[in-house]
Amino acid sequence: MISPAKPAKVKAKMASRPYFAALDGFRGLFAILIAVHHTNWFSYLNYRTFIDDAFFMLDMFFAFSGFLMFTLYRNHLSGSAQAKSFIGKRFARLYPLHLFTFGLFFAFAVFRLWAHKVGLATHEPGEVLPFSPEAADNWWSAFTNLTLTHSMGLNDSLSFNAPSWTISVEFFAYFVFAGMMLWAPPKKLWHFGLMALGVAGAYAALYNLKPNMDITYDYGFLRCLGGFFTGVLGAWAFAKVKAHQEASPKPMTLKTASALEVTYLVVCSVFIYFSGGILQFFAAPLIFGFVVLFALDGGYISKFMGLPVFRYLAKISYSVYMNHFFLAIIFGVVGTRLFPGIVSGGDGAGLAGDLYLIPYLAVVIVMSHLTYHYIEVPGGKWIGNRLKARKTSVQNAART
């Protein structure tokens, strides 16, 4: 039986944590838009510039993570024990669902081999089957997926659950963040100035390595660090702006904040529309401003993004992001069989493809709701409890 004091303590802890409704809402919205981006059938929505250039949304995810980590841990990562706890919590947050979705793709790879062997599927010219010498889905990439190293420059392509490359690089970005907070915590203005130079250096290096921001399995870690620490800079700037607002005798009005938000979204939209190729490497200042502005939750757009529907999407956004690629493949296969005109781009394919997005997104959301409640949360708690038990065991052993 749970004592009445425990729920009150948990509620107090949750209430003390800052919540950024607009940023959280955008996180949920971006997860859905990325799910649309990865569909392989023709639809008018998928070929809109904002969705087609999904790089911006991925780098926003990295920035959101950096913003939140610095906000929550800037005063709580001062010792090795806290750093170990931090890494353990991040691992518990990421790994259960990653393992689950990897299992789905591994099973799908085995099914493909079986289907070709028994004649359910034909071996088309140029097709590469899983676990063959030329395949991206092989035993080595399976091992690197299991160890979360699959996008740390160890493979020559994406493999299995392709979008999970971001989980791989973000997990190792947490080590960099924890190391910084332990050995060189930024506190002064010039500290953050050096960090800004580091972010600029990361994007400059990528600029000289790649023609655009389609950077994943090879230099994705450097890309993640650029976005993540852009978010850290945003968290520092937000704290300064927030303190200034609270001390000001004339706080920003709802109308002024709304005008700023609308203007900024227009600027972002224009940038994305024209930011093909090398211009994409200059998105960091825009992402920085986006994070700071919408963390303030000051205007009508922020209020709108804080609606319950977006909060719900934000809650399951990690599941949406990790589940959608598998379902996009399944719906693509089914569409090829039942609605070949949609996939091949026949007459009316665009509108039909948009309608086909409705059941696809519905299934993505339902599945994500289930994996959130039955994989993410219990899996994270299970790992967290194992780590706590191990810590207690080590402490008891040290006392004896």
Side-chain angles (χ1 to χ4, degrees):
M1 182 176 179
I2 300 176
S3 65
K6 189 172 182 179
K9 185 177 180 181
V10 171
K11 288 180 180 179
K13 184 177 180 181
M14 292 177 64
S16 66
R17 291 186 59 173
Y19 180 68
F20 304 95
L23 292 184
D24 214 28
F26 276 113
R27 185 160 58 93
L29 176 62
F30 289 163
I32 293 295
L33 294 179
I34 290 173
V36 173
H37 168 76
H38 281 139
T39 55
N40 62 351
W41 59 86
F42 286 87
S43 65
Y44 291 123
L45 183 60
N46 194 20
Y47 285 89
R48 299 283 74 83
T49 300
F50 186 77
I51 295 178
D52 198 35
D53 287 336
F55 84 92
F56 187 81
M57 290 178 277
L58 288 177
D59 290 278
M60 287 294 293
F61 277 136
F62 293 142
F64 289 168
S65 183
F67 176 92
L68 190 60
M69 292 302 102
F70 187 72
T71 300
L72 295 178
Y73 289 98
R74 64 184 303 175
N75 297 317
H76 302 285
L77 271 178
S78 57
S80 59
Q82 290 180 326
K84 289 178 182 178
S85 176
F86 169 75
I87 295 298
K89 287 178 181 179
R90 303 324 300 161
F91 179 77
R93 174 74 178 91
L94 297 177
Y95 198 73
L97 188 59
H98 169 69
L99 182 63
F100 172 77
T101 55
F102 167 74
L104 288 180
F105 276 88
F106 189 89
F108 182 67
V110 173
F111 173 77
R112 282 186 61 203
L113 289 175
W114 175 81
H116 281 79
K117 184 175 182 179
V118 301
L120 290 178
T122 58
H123 192 84
E124 299 177 357
E127 182 182 5
V128 178
L129 292 179
F131 306 109
S132 65
E134 303 86 4
D137 295 346
N138 54 45
W139 293 109
W140 170 249
S141 64
F143 171 76
T144 57
N145 269 269
L146 287 172
T147 56
L148 278 176
T149 57
H150 52 293
S151 293
M152 295 297 291
L154 301 179
N155 294 298
D156 295 328
S157 65
L158 296 171
S159 59
F160 295 99
N161 189 12
S164 72
W165 75 267
T166 62
I167 309 307
S168 169
V169 296
E170 186 167 320
F171 179 65
F172 285 95
Y174 293 140
F175 284 90
V176 177
F177 174 74
M180 178 190 74
M181 299 304 292
L182 274 178
W183 299 307
K187 295 179 181 179
K188 299 180 179 180
L189 177 61
W190 68 270
H191 295 163
F192 293 96
L194 286 179
M195 189 185 300
L197 288 176
V199 169
Y203 284 111
L206 294 173
Y207 174 89
N208 287 283
L209 289 169
K210 293 286 186 175
N212 55 46
M213 285 291 282
D214 185 15
I215 301 166
T216 54
Y217 60 87
D218 44 9
Y219 302 108
F221 182 55
L222 189 58
R223 176 184 176 184
C224 176
L225 290 178
F228 187 95
F229 284 97
T230 296
V232 172
L233 288 166
W236 169 76
F238 161 76
K240 297 294 185 183
V241 173
K242 188 70 173 178
H244 176 75
Q245 278 195 341
E246 292 174 349
S248 174
K250 294 183 179 180
M252 186 182 299
T253 65
L254 179 62
K255 184 180 293 186
T256 301
S258 300
L260 282 174
E261 290 178 353
V262 171
T263 302
Y264 208 84
L265 286 185
V266 170
V267 171
C268 288
S269 300
V270 172
F271 175 83
I272 292 169
Y273 186 81
F274 290 103
S275 65
I278 61 173
L279 286 178
Q280 295 177 351
F281 295 102
F282 298 90
L286 205 62
I287 293 172
F288 169 84
F290 187 101
V291 168
V292 174
L293 178 61
F294 286 100
L296 293 170
D297 284 332
Y300 284 116
I301 293 177
S302 290
K303 308 304 179 189
F304 179 75
M305 295 308 301
L307 290 175
V309 61
F310 293 112
R311 291 194 180 199
Y312 164 73
L313 290 176
K315 184 171 74 171
I316 65 170
S317 61
Y318 179 46
S319 276
V320 169
Y321 182 77
M322 295 295 283
N323 291 333
H324 78 269
F325 197 64
F326 180 78
L327 293 174
I329 292 173
I330 299 301
F331 270 77
V333 171
V334 172
T336 301
R337 301 285 184 178
L338 301 181
F339 315 108
I342 296 177
V343 178
S344 63
D347 293 339
L351 180 58
D354 288 321
L355 294 175
Y356 196 46
L357 288 172
I358 296 174
Y360 160 69
L361 290 176
V363 173
V364 167
I365 290 172
V366 169
M367 180 177 176
S368 299
H369 176 86
L370 294 174
T371 55
Y372 173 79
H373 287 285
Y374 296 104
I375 303 294
E376 273 192 68
V377 175
K381 287 181 178 179
W382 187 87
I383 292 177
N385 289 336
R386 301 287 80 72
L387 292 174
K388 287 180 181 178
R390 181 181 178 184
K391 180 180 178 181
T392 302
S393 177
V394 171
Q395 290 175 340
N396 291 337
R399 293 191 186 102
T400 59

